[in-house]
């Protein structure tokens, strides 16, 4: 009864950690496309092709439901996948939905007209590909009006995290926050629009200041997934055990993942 969690690299482990704590009875198959990371600097066709290949691999593991924990994949590939590629007996969900639900305080199924929400100035930190897609702004506009979104493409942060260079990652985060606040001096909320970024949550919060509410996706996705499975129990697939798959070097990826989650993680070759 496994559920798939997909990411271009290790960032999706933040989501995996949250969903396993929220749903301890559900086995999860994690797929990291580490040999092609980061996705954030790739074009939309490349992201689509890599994402569909990974999702098909997870279907083969018995995961009828796959969560795209990669924001770039959610932004650049998901809508195209949903327009005819995904079979009727499978589901692929992204990570934007729970975030926008939290920001607008309205459920995704609420199809009433867009309305004003409390937060008016939002800072979005994401990969270059996610920023270029404008997917977050598009989905937000369906549900809220009067919200000013300032996006900052955070080049280099994912690479630094994947390489384990947290000193460089911290410096890059502070540089990107400085660049954004020059354009939007007083954001009320900040969106960490990449699943790698919660690993740098404290750096973002410190650079932005205590008055800015920082939204990261892991816990929001976990709650949303629990609600979805409660409403769609048949979407839990046929897989029976948890496993970790990577297109990269399993030993190297396992070591880095163990450092991230502070528990032993053993990846297999995908």
């Amino acid at each position: 009864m496994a559920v798939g969690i997909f990411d271009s690299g290790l960032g999706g482990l933040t989501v995996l950690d949250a969903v396993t704590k929220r749903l301890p009875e559900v086995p999860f198959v994690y797929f990291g496309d580490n040999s092609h990371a980061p996705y954030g600097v790739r074009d939309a066709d490349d992201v689509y092709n890599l994402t569909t290949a990974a999702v098909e691999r997870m279907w083969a593991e018995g995961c009828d439901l796959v969560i795209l924990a990669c924001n770039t994949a959610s932004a650049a590939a998901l809508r195209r996948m949903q327009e005819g590629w995904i079979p009727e007996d499978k589901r692929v969900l992204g990570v934007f939905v729970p975030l926008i639900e939290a920001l607008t305080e309205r459920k995704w199924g609420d199809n009433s007209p867009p309305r004003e929400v409390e937060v008016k100035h939002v800072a979005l930190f994401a990969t270059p590909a996610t920023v270029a897609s404008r997917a977050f702004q598009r989905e937000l506009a369906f549900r809220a009006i009067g919200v000013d979104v300032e996006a900052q493409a955070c080049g280099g942060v994912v690479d630094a995290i994947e390489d384990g260079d947290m000193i460089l990652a911290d410096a890059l985060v502070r540089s990107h926050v400085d660049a954004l606040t020059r354009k939007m001096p007083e954001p009320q909320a900040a969106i960490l629009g990449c699943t790698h970024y919660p690993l740098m949550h404290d750096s973002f919060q410190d650079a932005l200041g205590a008055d800015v509410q920082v939204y990261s996706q892991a816990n929001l996705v976990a709650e949303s997934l629990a609600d979805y499975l409660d409403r769609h129990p048949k979407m839990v697939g046929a897989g029976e055990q948890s496993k970790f798959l990577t297109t990269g070097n399993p030993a190297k990826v396992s070591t880095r993942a163990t450092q991230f989650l502070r528990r032993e993680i053993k990846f297999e070759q995908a």
Side-chain angles (χ1 to χ4, degrees):
M1 292 169 47
V3 172
I5 304 288
F6 167 71
D7 190 65
S8 61
L10 295 175
L13 292 173
T14 60
V15 173
L16 177 75
D17 194 42
V19 297
T20 52
K21 289 174 180 175
R22 179 64 180 81
L23 298 163
E25 73 284 1
V26 176
F28 289 93
V29 176
Y30 184 90
F31 187 110
D33 192 12
N34 299 79
S35 67
H36 298 111
Y39 278 17
V41 295
R42 295 180 176 274
D43 64 37
D45 284 342
D46 204 8
V47 172
Y48 176 83
N49 291 331
L50 290 169
T51 302
T52 51
V55 169
E56 286 181 326
R57 178 68 177 84
M58 300 182 86
W59 286 342
E61 291 291 335
C63 302
D64 291 344
L65 170 63
V66 176
I67 308 299
L68 300 186
C70 176
N71 283 265
T72 300
S74 293
L78 181 58
R79 183 175 288 269
R80 182 175 167 187
M81 292 166 67
Q82 291 173 332
E83 288 173 348
W85 182 80
I86 302 170
E88 289 187 3
D89 62 337
K90 311 290 186 187
R91 291 291 183 276
V92 180
L93 304 177
V95 286
F96 280 147
V97 170
L99 199 57
I100 292 174
E101 285 182 336
L103 192 65
T104 62
E105 296 184 344
R106 59 187 294 187
K107 288 293 184 181
W108 200 251
D110 180 353
N111 293 318
S112 60
R115 58 177 181 261
E116 289 193 3
V117 294
E118 185 175 345
V119 177
K120 302 296 184 185
H121 304 287
V122 176
L124 171 65
F125 297 96
T127 66
T130 297
V131 170
S133 75
R134 294 189 60 82
F136 177 81
Q137 292 93 321
R138 182 180 63 246
E139 298 295 348
L140 181 63
F142 289 144
R143 289 155 185 83
I145 57 175
V147 181
D148 180 22
V149 178
E150 187 65 58
Q152 176 65 30
C154 298
V157 175
V158 170
D159 300 89
I161 293 172
E162 290 278 330
D163 290 340
D165 191 343
M166 308 312 271
I167 294 175
L168 175 59
D170 177 79
L172 288 168
V173 164
R174 294 176 187 278
S175 174
H176 290 307
V177 169
D178 182 63
L180 184 136
T181 52
R182 286 200 296 269
K183 297 177 288 185
M184 179 182 280
E186 296 183 353
Q188 295 168 280
I191 305 299
L192 303 189
C194 172
T195 46
H196 285 74
Y197 297 174
L199 295 165
M200 306 305 300
H201 180 280
D202 291 348
S203 296
F204 277 104
Q205 187 73 72
D206 186 57
L208 287 161
D211 292 338
V212 178
Q213 183 173 3
V214 177
Y215 289 87
S216 59
Q217 294 164 310
N219 291 332
L220 294 173
V221 170
E223 287 301 322
S224 181
L225 177 59
D227 178 65
Y228 182 87
L229 290 177
D230 187 56
R231 291 182 289 110
H232 303 88
K234 293 183 180 179
M235 288 314 303
V236 178
E240 296 180 353
Q241 61 183 3
S242 295
K243 63 173 59 177
F244 296 83
L245 303 172
T246 180
T247 58
N249 181 312
K252 181 180 178 181
V253 175
S254 297
T255 298
R256 191 72 71 213
T258 298
Q259 292 171 342
F260 282 170
L261 293 186
R262 296 187 175 90
R263 59 184 174 90
E264 186 175 8
I265 303 293
K266 188 172 182 179
F267 275 81
E268 304 173 23
Q269 191 69 54

